[in-house]
Amino acid sequence: MDLEESKKRLIAEIEDMGALKNRRVKEAFLNVPRENFVPPEMRRYAYSNYPLPIGEDQTISQPYTVAAMTEALEIKEGAKVLEIGTGSGYQAAILSEIVGNSGKVVTCEIRERLFVIARERLRQYWNVTVLNKDGSKGHRQEAPFDRIIVTASGKDVPSALLEQLKEGGILVMPVHSEMIVVKKEKGGLKRKMIGYFAFVPLKE
Ligand code: SAH
């Protein structure tokens, strides 16, 4: 089976699991070649619904997880999004497609070797800025953000990230293994849990 065919199968599988209902998220999944975000020896597994090793004991998230988190963010075209945990760069590429030319993605990776590889891969996604830094304190220079996504699990949502979220903004992050969605509203923060997911730990 060629990669395009296995991509279509994967998308159908994710739809069966209840995600990819949003048209722009589904289009982003169709457009971004996941095989370019995994090590060469993993290319043939690029469209299986599993996380894959990317070196440094880290992983590219499971495609279903990327779909579920991206949808929970409810991103609109033109949004400014902060990602903590660039890893392979795949999630950042998906976000880039969704925010479009008028939007912006800032993504932080703490491990230098992964940062260097991801920055190179994301060169053609010119609305994405890749930074080599600890993202647990956010990125004050470009705050506030419309959306914040953390792709490593922490003990709780870092307060710096909540501060850097715009009013009306949404943050998605695994806390232990619970996927937490926080909406910042006039009256305060609204928090809900949308499911259980396995993640590598956030360095704090
Ligand atoms: N979104 C990624 C998933 C990567 S796994 C993808 O699409 O492939 C999580 C990543 O978070 C790892 O690469 C890890 O090095 C990074 N990370 C962990 N703690 C971090 C921190 N405090 N700041 C920035 N990146 C961090």
Side-chain angles (χ1 to χ4, degrees), residues 55-70:
E56 308 267 305
D57 281 334
Q58 304 303 309
T59 53
I60 174 173
S61 302
Q62 181 188 18
Y64 169 72
T65 304
V66 176
M69 290 181 81
T70 307

Side-chain angles (χ1 to χ4, degrees), residues 124-137:
Q124 54 176 310
Y125 295 86
W126 61 267
N127 57 357
V128 179
T129 305
V130 190
L131 303 172
N132 184 201
K133 67 178 268 185
D134 173 5
S136 64
K137 292 173 189 64

Side-chain angles (χ1 to χ4, degrees), residues 37 54 56 58-61 66 83-92 107-111 114 133-137 151-152 199-204:
F37 292 85
I54 55 171
E56 308 267 305
Q58 304 303 309
T59 53
I60 174 173
S61 302
V66 176
E83 180 191 27
I84 317 302
T86 314
S88 68
Y90 178 72
Q91 172 77 68
T107 179
C108 308
E109 173 53 55
I110 201 165
R111 292 181 168 83
L114 296 179
K133 67 178 268 185
D134 173 5
S136 64
K137 292 173 189 64
T151 63
F199 268 90
V200 295
L202 180 71
K203 274 195 169 191
E204 285 178 90

Side-chain angles (χ1 to χ4, degrees), residues 64 68-69 71-72 172 178-181 192-197:
Y64 169 72
M69 290 181 81
E71 282 186 325
V172 177
E178 298 186 347
M179 190 61 71
I180 301 297
V181 178
K192 66 176 178 183
M193 201 278 275
I194 59 164
Y196 294 92
F197 294 83

Side-chain angles (χ1 to χ4, degrees), residues 6 9 19-20 24 39 41 49 68 70 72 87 96 102 116 119 124 142 147 150 158-159 163 181-183 202:
S6 53
R9 271 206 196 183
L20 290 183
R24 284 186 76 83
E41 66 276 17
N49 201 7
T70 307
S96 160
S102 55
V116 170
R119 184 182 50 180
Q124 54 176 310
E142 291 184 72
R147 301 290 187 263
V150 184
S159 56
E163 282 161 23
V181 178
V182 181
K183 287 194 185 185
L202 180 71

